[in-house]
Amino acid sequence: MQKKISDDSATTAANARGRERPTARTVPALTIVAHPKSERIGERLLLEMLAAAGRTASLSRNAPDFARPGSLLARPLGDAFLSRKPVRFEPGARGRLRLVVPEDGTPVRVGGEPVRGSREFTMEALAAGVPLELSERVVLLLHLAHAPEVPSVGDLGMVGQSERLRRVREDVCRVADLNVPVLIRGETGSGKELVARALHQQSPRRDGPFISVNLGALPRELVSAELFGVQRGAYTGAMKDREGIFRAAHGGTLFLDEVGEAPPEVQVALLRVLETGEVFPVGGQASVHVDVRLITATDAHLEERIRQGLFKAPLLHRLAGFEIQVPPLRERREDIGPLFLHFARQELEATGEASRLAAREPQDEPWLPTSLAVRLVRYEWPGNVRQLRNVTRQLIIGSRGLPHLRVDARLEQELDSAALPLPGHSLSVFPAPANDNTPMFEDLSPSRRKPSDVGEQELLEALRACAWDLKATAERLGISRASIYMIIEKSSLLRTAGDLSPEEISRCFRECQGDLDQMVKRLEVSKRALQRRVRELGLAGG
């Protein structure tokens, strides 16, 4: 491993590149989640006119055109069961968005309930994503996107076109050619290894080996020997020299997942490797030079582990030459449809039924039922992309030989048990309005302030004052809840429930005797998100 990977200048340059973000406005968008023609899933329509001039946007069978981001091919929804009479999207009161459904137009359902007249959605609802079910044939996700859309850097092996995923791709391209260590943070199952492989493939080391190791899966007493090699006779059973994983990755990339689980002695050795580019085999007296690009990943809150004395601060500083944050699936719901289709194609090919996704007759029932598509979009996905892949496999196998996908009662109950609350009773429902002078909104944001105007300390104090209720905090500060997540993501003072380690949550649960309010005060994270983590860990009373 070359010493220059730890140079402060290279680290500074990489992080500076990572902070460069093109400016773009936030506007409403419609992304196809389900369509009788499955290849349409993932196509998008930006409703820019709403933000630009406060004008009405219309949607019918014949117009406007949807297109995959970055593609020149654009076409209307085109399903014969949709009406030619358009539904409309209009600026609503107080920065809301109003959906107007004509009485004899396309039937629209939200949360299983038909929309009669019109319904208004808050910007908070749009930030979370609202699935719209049209004529039980098409599902569109109404959400927020950036305009103008930035040209793609290529998919890099990652499926989806959300803003959060685009940022990950940009970060990969910014740092791939630099010989600095990269720390990838993200929840379990979010695709951290996929990002590591993309870094390797985009780097000058692409022709060298890529070795992936899960430190949490290695026996504690063998971690050092596995990583750094063994000298013959070092311990009972060491009958011959072993080169170790670092030496096997010489000239290439080594990806260490769950780096937060590294034992103290391994942390010391990793720090030495990063500083000197040399490893000491177990039982050896001489160092061995290695040239390895080190990429690490964790779903743990390393800063908290440092405070607990479980992780060494200097090692974190060395590992984080550049950081990439992989978003959870629930924060990029517009990618759920394309990801589901991607996994479905793989499973259908494996079962010999790839033809099921071929063109169908216009009158046929959709292969992906709209009720299932809505459930997929609403589900919280605690296991992220890995869980979506497993659910897709279960659906494909469970529907073999059938004309469309079928959900068994157990899976249906599971998908409904942790679903995102849909905007329904909390939203204003009006009769269809006449042509009134609806106030225009200059930008689709309810904020009176920019996120950049809110400092970390101010946000922390507001969160504490509001008992970590994100909605109340957003109203108190005059920013959107999505802005709160943006500030937390960049903050060194704040964290989310997803950053907490299972050990920290379990210990706090015991010490607080399961009192969730006390846990929120101690851990300082959102109550709802913490409750979800407690439930995932199977702790009683969660």
Side-chain angles (χ1 to χ4, degrees), residues 450-460 463 477 479-496:
K450 297 179 181 178
S452 57
D453 295 335
V454 179
E456 294 177 64
Q457 191 62 42
E458 182 184 3
L459 175 56
L460 179 59
L463 285 165
L477 295 174
I479 61 176
S480 68
R481 194 163 73 169
S483 297
I484 292 180
Y485 287 120
M486 291 171 55
I487 299 170
I488 291 176
E489 183 180 336
K490 300 176 182 178
S491 171
S492 59
L493 297 176
L494 302 162
R495 56 182 178 167
T496 67

Side-chain angles (χ1 to χ4, degrees), residues 204-428:
R205 298 173 178 265
R206 65 181 65 89
D207 294 329
F210 175 88
I211 297 181
S212 174
V213 179
N214 187 326
L215 289 181
L218 294 178
R220 186 181 182 90
E221 63 276 9
L222 296 179
V223 175
S224 293
E226 292 290 334
L227 291 178
F228 310 118
V230 178
Q231 194 81 26
R232 188 177 68 173
Y235 54 80
T236 303
M239 306 301 295
K240 60 180 180 179
D241 293 345
R242 290 173 53 194
E243 67 174 7
I245 292 169
F246 263 93
R247 292 167 69 184
H250 184 78
T253 303
L254 175 58
F255 173 57
L256 298 181
D257 199 2
E258 294 192 30
V259 69
E261 303 302 316
E265 64 275 12
V266 172
Q267 294 181 37
V268 173
L270 284 175
L271 185 58
R272 182 171 61 237
V273 175
L274 287 164
E275 289 178 340
T276 67
E278 297 176 339
V279 298
F280 279 85
V282 175
Q285 301 298 318
S287 64
V288 179
H289 174 76
V290 290
D291 173 20
V292 174
R293 168 79 174 280
L294 185 62
I295 300 174
T296 52
T298 184
D299 61 356
H301 193 284
L302 295 182
E303 290 78 5
E304 178 60 27
R305 293 182 72 82
I306 289 172
R307 287 192 288 270
Q308 296 170 354
L310 301 175
F311 202 81
K312 298 184 179 299
L315 177 58
L316 173 58
H317 301 154
R318 289 293 188 181
L319 294 176
F322 186 84
E323 288 194 23
I324 297 178
Q325 183 74 40
V326 182
L329 190 54
R330 63 183 173 274
E331 293 182 8
R332 54 183 187 107
R333 293 183 185 273
E334 59 267 43
D335 291 338
I336 291 175
L339 277 165
F340 176 81
L341 182 61
H342 173 73
F343 294 136
R345 282 177 173 148
Q346 291 180 341
E347 297 303 325
L348 286 168
E349 289 176 1
T351 59
E353 295 184 311
S355 60
R356 291 201 177 279
L357 285 178
R360 302 165 68 87
E361 295 298 324
Q363 69 276 10
D364 286 350
E365 184 177 350
W367 176 78
L368 172 58
T370 54
S371 59
L372 172 57
V374 170
R375 281 188 168 93
L376 294 174
V377 172
R378 290 182 56 196
Y379 188 60
E380 286 283 9
W381 298 111
N384 291 293
V385 178
R386 183 185 296 123
Q387 185 185 13
L388 175 59
R389 181 183 59 200
N390 292 338
V391 167
T392 306
R393 178 181 295 121
Q394 183 173 340
L395 284 166
I396 296 298
I397 295 175
S399 304
R400 291 188 73 181
L402 300 179
H404 53 80
L405 292 175
R406 178 187 63 183
V407 188
D408 62 49
R410 189 198 62 78
L411 180 57
E412 186 176 273
Q413 183 178 6
E414 179 185 343
L415 292 175
D416 287 340
S417 67
L420 171 77
L422 276 174
H425 301 296
S426 62
L427 293 178
S428 302

